[in-house]
Amino acid sequence: MSDDNWPESAVDYIQAIADTKALLGQRYAEWMLQGPSLEDDISGASNAQDEIGQVRQLFRKLEDQGRDSDWLESEREPDEYANAETLDERATTWPSFMVQVALTDRAAWLLLDAIDHPDFTGMVQKMGEDEYFHLEHHDARLESLANSQPKAVEAALETYLPGALAFIGPATYGSDDDPLTAAGFTDRAVAEIRGAFHEHYVALFEGTNVAVPSLDDSVPDPSTWNETRRRRNGGHVESDVVRELQGISNKEYVIE
């Protein structure tokens, strides 16, 4: 275990990012043979691989802070995962999938990039090299979809934006009130991250027929927000997806 113990809220913060990346890898894998082009399929497969590699690194950091490795990898119930609520259910169309993963992947990256702690020196920079290609691909596809299927993109933004904002955190976490910024674990408050996140998509869709929902400071409601799981409600990802993440269905084939 690390001699430098983080605040418990920082452990939960990294847990939420790691679990979200685990589910991102799962969602990319589900769609990697169903994209509209070979390029999309290859990108999905590459993104899935990158996310799983990042999850393994983040899990090792969590183990150093006392989280049990078996619990992290294979002994959790669905409601013990702290993934962004945007990923609880599989998207049913290509535009909704692209909005789902684009918003979630960018939100996770912004939370990672805000970390200012020596345990993450070098790691976040390397992850950023992977994320650059993820996010560039997402933006290119969203711009294209905004021209070809603007209503579908707009509907997906309305569906997924609140959950992405809940994952980032409440607007009340400003520079003087964000506990992780106050503890020196992050160098940007949640309120600043929310603003940068929203401004990115406003700029991306400028000049298209897609209207980005306004940045609603009441989402999530800080009085009901679950800080540990970074979501608005008590929902969770489907049980069968958890079984796939944990490899439960494959254990019967393991040779002892």
Side-chain angles (χ1 to χ4, degrees):
M1 186 180 298
S2 171
D3 291 333
D4 182 11
N5 292 328
W6 312 337
E8 188 62 26
S9 58
V11 180
D12 290 338
Y13 183 86
I14 299 303
Q15 183 77 69
I17 296 171
D19 287 352
T20 294
K21 286 186 165 292
L23 263 296
L24 274 169
Q26 175 71 17
R27 298 310 182 196
Y28 283 128
E30 290 170 348
W31 276 87
M32 68 182 181
L33 297 178
Q34 300 181 55
S37 70
L38 179 60
E39 179 186 358
D40 289 306
D41 292 344
I42 292 172
S43 177
S46 176
N47 291 354
Q49 184 176 0
D50 289 342
E51 296 296 354
I52 296 307
Q54 293 179 20
V55 169
R56 292 185 183 279
Q57 294 179 71
L58 293 171
F59 276 6
R60 300 296 83 79
K61 294 296 184 184
L62 290 167
E63 289 170 17
D64 289 343
Q65 295 298 316
R67 295 275 161 107
D68 181 75
S69 60
D70 289 336
W71 181 83
L72 288 169
E73 298 279 359
S74 60
E75 294 184 353
R76 283 190 276 170
E77 296 299 322
D79 61 1
E80 293 180 293
Y81 280 79
N83 61 279
E85 63 186 78
T86 50
L87 300 174
D88 281 355
E89 297 181 359
R90 179 178 178 176
T92 57
T93 67
W94 178 253
S96 62
F97 166 72
M98 282 308 309
V99 173
Q100 177 191 47
V101 295
L103 267 60
T104 310
D105 212 345
R106 183 169 294 277
W109 165 243
L110 290 173
L111 292 179
L112 262 178
D113 191 46
I115 297 170
D116 184 19
H117 191 281
D119 282 355
F120 291 86
T121 300
M123 176 187 288
V124 171
Q125 180 180 357
K126 178 61 177 70
M127 289 180 176
E129 294 172 3
D130 295 335
E131 292 300 325
Y132 173 81
F133 294 103
H134 297 198
L135 302 180
E136 284 291 298
H137 180 261
H138 295 156
D139 284 354
R141 286 296 175 264
L142 289 180
E143 285 184 294
S144 177
L145 287 166
N147 290 319
S148 62
Q149 301 184 61
K151 291 187 181 300
V153 172
E154 196 168 286
L157 285 170
E158 292 175 356
T159 297
Y160 292 115
L161 184 59
L165 291 173
F167 176 56
I168 295 172
T172 52
Y173 277 25
S175 56
D176 296 328
D177 302 295
D178 188 322
L180 290 179
T181 305
F185 192 81
T186 59
D187 62 10
R188 272 153 286 170
V190 157
E192 181 181 346
I193 296 172
R194 285 168 58 96
F197 176 79
H198 187 261
E199 287 171 10
H200 175 83
Y201 290 105
V202 170
L204 181 68
F205 291 115
E206 186 176 6
T208 73
N209 289 324
V210 171
V212 178
S214 60
L215 183 58
D216 187 347
D217 285 349
S218 68
V219 178
D221 181 343
S223 67
T224 58
W225 182 60
N226 186 325
E227 183 174 8
T228 300
R229 300 181 67 216
R230 303 191 81 83
R231 59 170 57 218
R232 297 173 296 168
N233 54 52
H236 56 76
V237 67
E238 308 104 309
S239 297
D240 61 332
V241 172
V242 170
R243 290 177 59 84
E244 292 178 14
L245 284 173
Q246 297 178 350
I248 292 173
S249 60
N250 295 324
K251 289 184 178 179
E252 61 185 288
Y253 301 111
V254 175
I255 299 175
E256 300 291 345

